[in-house]
Amino acid sequence: MEREGEEAVTDAAAPDAPAARTRTATVAGPRRRRKLAFDLTVLGVVGILFLGAVGATSAVLYRQLYSPTAFVLDYLHLLADGRATDALLVPGVSATSKDLAAAGLPADASAALLRGSTLTPLSDVEPVSEETDADGTTAVTVTYRVGGHAGETTFEVERDDDEGGILPRWRFAQSPLAVIELGVRGSMQFEVNGFEIDKRQVSPEAEEADPLEPIPMLAFSPGLYSITVDTAATTSPGVAVLSDTPLAEIPVSFQAEPTDEFVGVVQREVDAFLAECATQKVLQPTGCPFGYYVRNRIVEPPTWSIEENPVVTLEPDGAGWAITRTQAVAKIDVQIQSIFDGSIYDVTELVPFFLTGKITILPDGTASIAVSAAD
């Protein structure tokens, strides 16, 4: 029987001839070598493609999970989810007093705004670029929308050597926090993104806080912060500030305005004060902004009344308020005796006068009003 891959070649011989010689030629060797080479080539190509696929997959995983950009995006997603506490735990986010001082920022800045309730919606986060400097620091730039406003921020990221391990770890080389220097005049209370704050609670001077001094407050970047005043005494339409630069100082200053209710309270207090002055039966009521002068004698003590009360308007006056100079009219009824001839005559006269005043908001929230005469 012939073996597979072999061809049998037999010499013809007579029947009585000696046993015939058989010559066998083997042709499988070259074919097998060619097939083996082909298989190895195919395996090599497959191996290269596999390694390429693994490399490409690894590159994608690196960009999506382990790159500086991925690190920054993780931080931004925490802000988008309102997870302020977790965002502060990201390496390099929290700033120490030393970090703030080194950046030229107030070292005693309040952390009252670093909470989920003050975060505004963050969306449409898109990476723009990732550039590594010679010192190994990587600048990651992203765009986003925060509270409906478009923004762009560049973060500085570096390797976190303390973590070790095979996979790369990162940290912010520069904290993404910023400091808002918040100066609200006319009110010790205000709201930031709906969160109520009293200056005396967040100021380093506590109860001794200067009402006119700005309050340094740490804020996330990126973040949109709306500052409003809405108290019984004062109000404001609100001021919005976008924090989009790490370790930047953002000055915000505005003047609150008195509410109609507050002006009404002052008006009633001034009216009551003048009415009390009118009860004094003297020509010059003590501590009051009006009076009457005569050269003659008075027979009976005079009688006062307020014919026209002032119209009160308020204006900022340092940490408090001032009553804008305004006019009022009093009336005096008095009987006078002439020192020349002794005659007695009645006098009824309107006495116009001007007044002003200072209003101080006390620590308990009440107002102290001091009315005085004005030229």
Side-chain angles (χ1 to χ4, degrees):
M1 177 179 292
E2 297 176 358
R3 289 180 298 171
E4 181 181 357
E6 295 181 347
E7 178 184 357
V9 181
T10 305
D11 292 335
D16 56 350
R21 292 178 299 163
T22 302
R23 180 165 54 89
T24 303
T26 302
V27 296
R31 291 183 179 178
R32 285 185 172 180
R33 285 194 294 272
R34 285 196 300 272
K35 184 178 180 182
L36 179 60
F38 175 77
D39 291 344
L40 292 174
T41 299
V42 171
L43 289 174
V45 171
V46 171
I48 292 173
L49 292 175
F50 176 75
L51 291 176
V54 171
T57 302
S58 298
V60 171
L61 289 176
Y62 173 80
R63 287 195 303 270
Q64 293 182 347
L65 300 177
Y66 306 112
S67 67
T69 296
F71 170 77
V72 171
L73 293 179
D74 286 343
Y75 161 73
L76 295 178
H77 290 153
L78 290 175
L79 295 184
D81 293 339
R83 298 165 59 186
T85 301
D86 293 334
L88 288 172
L89 296 177
V90 173
V93 171
S94 295
T96 64
S97 298
K98 184 177 180 180
D99 296 331
L100 295 174
L105 300 174
D108 53 4
S110 169
L113 298 182
L114 302 180
R115 61 185 69 225
S117 58
T118 63
L119 292 176
T120 48
L122 182 66
S123 62
D124 299 338
V125 177
E126 294 291 341
V128 175
S129 64
E130 178 181 307
E131 299 178 0
T132 302
D133 295 335
D135 62 358
T137 301
T138 300
V140 177
T141 301
V142 297
T143 59
Y144 47 82
R145 295 190 68 82
V146 55
H149 297 267
E152 180 179 292
T153 300
T154 297
F155 301 91
E156 292 186 8
V157 178
E158 63 185 0
R159 287 291 296 265
D160 192 353
D161 296 330
D162 293 339
E163 293 293 334
I166 298 175
L167 298 175
R169 299 287 184 179
W170 306 96
R171 65 180 290 111
F172 285 106
Q174 181 186 53
S175 171
L177 301 181
V179 174
I180 298 177
E181 284 278 0
L182 183 53
V184 179
R185 299 184 302 277
S187 179
M188 294 293 280
Q189 293 87 30
F190 53 89
E191 294 182 2
V192 180
N193 289 351
F195 179 69
E196 295 183 359
I197 295 176
D198 189 302
K199 288 181 183 179
R200 291 157 293 197
Q201 295 174 343
V202 297
S203 170
E205 285 76 28
E207 292 294 331
E208 301 301 321
D210 186 338
L212 297 180
E213 280 296 314
I215 303 296
M217 306 192 74
L218 290 168
F220 284 109
S221 290
L224 184 69
Y225 296 88
S226 176
I227 303 100
T228 59
V229 176
D230 185 16
T231 69
T234 53
T235 185
S236 76
V239 175
V241 57
L242 177 62
S243 172
D244 60 358
T245 304
L247 284 185
E249 184 177 46
I250 306 170
V252 180
S253 180
F254 66 94
Q255 174 70 54
E257 298 297 329
T259 62
D260 292 341
E261 179 183 0
F262 182 42
V263 174
V265 168
V266 175
Q267 179 73 64
R268 290 191 294 273
E269 290 296 319
V270 170
D271 293 349
F273 168 75
L274 295 178
E276 180 66 25
C277 284
T279 64
Q280 299 185 40
K281 295 184 177 296
V282 293
L283 292 175
Q284 300 292 328
T286 304
C288 298
F290 57 85
Y292 191 74
Y293 296 91
V294 297
R295 288 191 175 91
N296 296 300
R297 299 186 182 95
I298 60 173
V299 177
E300 296 291 340
T303 300
W304 287 99
S305 63
I306 303 299
E307 290 294 297
E308 182 181 325
N309 281 304
V311 177
V312 169
T313 59
L314 303 181
E315 60 186 22
D317 180 39
W321 300 92
I323 299 174
T324 306
R325 182 177 181 270
T326 184
Q327 185 178 16
V329 178
K331 185 177 76 170
I332 186 170
D333 290 294
V334 63
Q335 196 174 61
I336 298 175
Q337 183 179 32
S338 172
I339 61 175
F340 296 104
D341 59 13
S343 61
I344 297 175
Y345 55 95
D346 293 329
V347 172
T348 297
E349 188 172 336
L350 296 178
V351 181
F353 62 95
F354 291 89
L355 63 82
T356 185
K358 293 181 68 68
I359 303 169
T360 303
I361 305 299
L362 303 177
D364 62 359
T366 60
S368 172
I369 304 172
V371 178
S372 59
D375 295 334

